[in-house]
Amino acid sequence: MAEEQRLDATGQQQTRRQLVRAVIASAVGTSIEWYDFFLYGFAASTIFAELFFPKSDPTTGLLLSLGTYFGGFAARPIGAAIFGHYGDRIGRKATLIITLLSMGIATALVGLVPTYEQIGIWGGILLTVLRLLQGISVGGEWGGSVLLATEWGQSRGGRRGFLGSWPQFGVPVGLVLGYLALEVFQPLDPYWGWRIPFLLSIVMAGVGLYIRLGILETPVFTKVLQENRVERVPVREVIVRNWREIVLSALLRTGQQAPFYIFTVFILTYATKTLGFQAGDIYPYVIAAGIVSLFTVPFWGYVSDIVGRRKLYIIGAAAMVVWSFVYWPLLDTRVPSLVLLAIVLAAPIHDIQYGPQATFIAESFTGRLRYSGASLGYQLASVTAGGPAPLIAVWLYATYQSSFAIAVYMAICALISVVAAFALKDRSKQDYAVEYDDVQTEPRTETSP
């Protein structure tokens, strides 16, 4: 008996150790991935139009530059399908190693692309291709990171919302690092300054790879393997079985993702071109917002374990509807303190949705289809919400010459999230390690003659 207790205690210690490692690996890996992804977005908003599309008028050049940025979003569902397939077939760990390497290489190569003056339009074409590779990598990264963290936690109860918030934590980390890198290195040299942050990506990817190699496969996927329940074509299977959850997951993100890329990417263009600020003035404001999110993302993930994922998400989406009509008037005052207030307060309001979002979506899919389903639902919103948002904001302001039109657009997106959250089942209390269709068949089995 004593020996059994000792072995059980040892097993629990090993599980806790792996859980900590998995959470760290998820947070570090997603931080690196999002550093790479955001770095491109910031450069596209500020310098790529002049470097790669100089023959266009300013608005057209900006739209072309943001168009290459949108390409990364368009590729994310492709990455979700590719890596979701392998994540549900060969495992979470192996797939995440591939996504991290592909992102690091693609980003480093962006730092070597010649400008328009050197090779003409081919520079813009190369940027677009590398951006597509970035998008494919991110499309596979998110789902695996969320599952790596949450599937090492307790399968029932526990702090699954809190654990799932740590891959989300990588977003503000990547945001802060990306802004800081451009602010520090861009002024150093007109040619190499902006390239150095991209080249550093390969070093950061090496660090992330080292951490991920020390993680074991998750208990949930190990159980799927042991029970011989690996689907032959998981992406096709999840689309057939869970198309509703995939669509609702994408709609759920609309009111979070569209405002987020307006808060972090379009704000650079709006503040410099419309409000008359210098980019160097706005960088610290966005960095401050990112630092706030380092605390509010895990906080709201923790709160979702107490009040439930769906309830908290609806509150967050409703708050975004209201904030949409407060944010722009604060910016339009052109008063630095109020502009800072608007940019920083946007972070905790956005994070009410973002903190619990990863776990809310991942819980919507059963274990053997979870990587494919969660990735597809999450990344489809990149095409409908996140990617177009800066482009739509540019077009709305150019058309109506008023930020109110952008506020209306953001509020509509948030209302879509409210409806989607109402429609998506809250599985906060459901056993994460048991296949959902098995649970559904149990009552019928008990009552059958």
Side-chain angles (χ1 to χ4, degrees), residues 89-382:
R89 283 194 58 80
I90 67 174
R92 306 354 181 173
K93 175 183 173 178
T95 306
L96 284 172
I97 290 172
I98 298 171
T99 61
L100 187 62
L101 285 175
S102 57
M103 174 61 97
I105 293 170
T107 305
L109 290 175
V110 170
L112 299 175
V113 174
T115 63
Y116 184 91
E117 290 184 358
Q118 295 169 305
I119 60 171
I121 195 61
W122 284 103
I125 293 173
L126 287 173
L127 272 186
T128 303
V129 171
L130 292 172
R131 183 60 174 174
L132 292 175
L133 292 176
Q134 279 191 325
I136 290 172
S137 300
V138 167
E141 166 71 23
W142 177 87
S145 291
V146 171
L147 302 196
L148 192 66
T150 58
E151 289 185 350
W152 268 108
Q154 295 181 28
S155 64
R156 185 189 292 274
R159 290 286 177 258
R160 203 156 63 218
F162 179 66
L163 295 176
S165 70
W166 285 102
Q168 308 291 79
F169 174 86
V171 170
V173 173
L175 179 75
V176 171
L177 291 178
Y179 266 100
L180 280 174
L182 274 184
E183 186 175 21
V184 170
F185 290 107
Q186 186 179 340
L188 297 182
D189 184 88
Y191 184 81
W192 285 106
W194 69 268
R195 297 176 184 273
I196 294 173
F198 287 91
L199 296 173
L200 287 175
S201 174
I202 199 68
V203 178
M204 298 174 67
V207 174
L209 179 62
Y210 172 79
I211 295 173
R212 284 190 172 175
L213 287 173
I215 305 300
L216 299 177
E217 187 52 79
T218 72
V220 172
F221 186 73
T222 300
K223 184 171 182 284
V224 171
L225 288 176
Q226 291 172 343
E227 296 177 354
N228 195 28
R229 302 195 67 169
V230 176
E231 295 285 348
R232 190 170 66 87
V233 188
V235 171
R236 182 182 66 191
E237 189 70 18
V238 79
I239 291 173
V240 172
R241 286 174 173 265
N242 301 113
W243 63 267
R244 181 178 180 273
E245 285 79 9
I246 292 173
V247 172
L248 287 175
S249 296
L251 295 176
L252 185 79
R253 298 200 64 213
T254 304
Q256 168 269 315
Q257 201 187 36
F260 176 77
Y261 284 101
I262 289 175
F263 294 154
T264 58
V265 176
F266 176 72
I267 183 60
L268 290 178
T269 300
Y270 188 76
T272 55
K273 307 297 183 184
T274 303
L275 301 182
F277 286 86
Q278 297 296 316
D281 298 330
I282 299 301
Y283 281 154
Y285 296 176
V286 182
I287 290 171
I291 292 173
V292 170
S293 281
L294 296 179
F295 299 94
T296 54
V297 167
F299 171 75
W300 291 119
Y302 173 80
V303 172
S304 76
D305 288 318
I306 299 172
V307 304
R309 244 71 79 190
R310 181 168 59 183
K311 181 185 296 185
L312 182 61
Y313 206 96
I314 291 170
I315 292 171
M320 184 60 72
V321 173
V322 176
W323 178 247
S324 298
F325 296 101
V326 177
Y327 177 75
W328 295 101
L330 286 174
L331 290 179
D332 290 340
T333 63
R334 291 181 167 84
V335 176
S337 59
L338 295 180
V339 172
L340 171 63
L341 182 67
I343 292 174
V344 171
L345 281 183
I349 294 172
H350 160 269
D351 294 342
I352 301 173
Q353 295 176 78
Y354 199 62
Q357 183 184 88
T359 307
F360 193 12
I361 292 175
E363 286 173 338
S364 300
F365 302 91
T366 194
R368 70 184 188 276
L369 302 173
R370 188 169 289 143
Y371 203 133
S372 299
S375 296
L376 285 172
Y378 188 89
Q379 302 300 350
L380 279 176
S382 301

Side-chain angles (χ1 to χ4, degrees), residues 244 248 310 360 364 421-427 430 440:
R244 181 178 180 273
L248 287 175
R310 181 168 59 183
F360 193 12
S364 300
F422 266 114
L424 192 63
K425 184 176 181 180
D426 190 337
R427 297 182 182 270
Q430 189 155 345
Q440 292 167 1

